[in-house]
Amino acid sequence: MTCKACSGSWPLKDHKIVDLNLTVAYLHEDQFFPGWTVLVLKRHATELFHLTREERSQLVEEMTEVAQTLTVVFDAVKVNYELLGNQLPHIHWHIIPRLADDPAPLQPVWTVQHQPSRLAKEKREERVALMVKHLNGERSAP
Ligand SMILES: [Zn+2]
């Protein structure tokens, strides 16, 4: 009944990167793929067709801003965008930079068996700060 995203139990609050207009970006707990970010819609909705046209286009703008930031900060060769919602039916995009040394460049991340990589607090904060710095730069640019 309670949606984990709406109740605030996921994503982890101390993984927050930035609060945008319609969404909040968080660093994913598993950083096996460095920079893996989740972009969570602030209001509850489960499907894109539940959004207004304006919300959908704003959502794409916010995804784009985050994806561009990930590309610069992590030197990504490609970005994956995944909207699944099977486990948590509340619109949230997984935005995953894929790097040059990616262990499985042709596969979606879900199929890549790995031990989740949880960063120590300092390392996580450092990663978040790099993104915030770039996002602020982007938005203050003319
Ligand atoms: Zn929800």
Side-chain angles (χ1 to χ4, degrees):
M1 167 69 204
T2 359
C3 166
K4 280 174 72 181
C6 289
S7 72
S9 62
W10 185 89
L12 300 172
K13 295 301 159 215
D14 60 2
H15 285 51
K16 181 170 156 182
I17 300 165
V18 67
D19 190 325
L20 298 169
N21 189 2
L22 293 185
T23 60
V24 182
Y26 299 86
L27 207 59
H28 194 267
E29 307 94 273
D30 178 7
Q31 287 290 295
F32 177 79
F33 291 92
W36 185 336
T37 292
V38 286
L39 188 67
V40 184
L41 192 70
K42 290 183 189 176
R43 78 169 177 91
H44 185 79
T46 59
E47 306 296 342
L48 290 173
F49 56 75
H50 293 152
L51 305 182
T52 65
R53 191 175 290 269
E54 290 71 28
E55 285 175 319
R56 270 195 301 277
S57 55
Q58 179 63 32
L59 180 60
V60 171
E61 289 303 321
E62 294 178 18
M63 287 169 54
T64 304
E65 186 177 1
V66 170
Q68 192 170 26
T69 296
L70 289 169
T71 300
V72 173
V73 170
F74 296 95
D75 197 22
V77 294
K78 183 68 190 79
V79 179
N80 290 163
Y81 308 81
E82 305 214 39
L83 179 65
L84 302 167
N86 307 51
Q87 294 184 22
L88 174 56
H90 174 124
I91 290 176
H92 62 282
W93 289 87
H94 290 267
I95 307 177
I96 310 152
R98 305 297 295 265
L99 312 187
D101 63 353
D102 194 293
L106 302 182
Q107 307 303 324
V109 294
W110 318 102
T111 65
V112 181
Q113 298 278 329
H114 64 273
Q115 284 296 322
S117 169
R118 294 177 204 285
L119 300 180
K121 183 169 182 278
E122 300 72 40
K123 185 71 189 164
R124 184 179 75 238
E125 287 174 350
E126 186 182 302
R127 203 163 272 191
V128 166
L130 279 172
M131 289 190 64
V132 169
K133 186 176 170 211
H134 185 269
L135 284 159
N136 288 337
E138 283 295 296
R139 277 183 288 170
S140 62

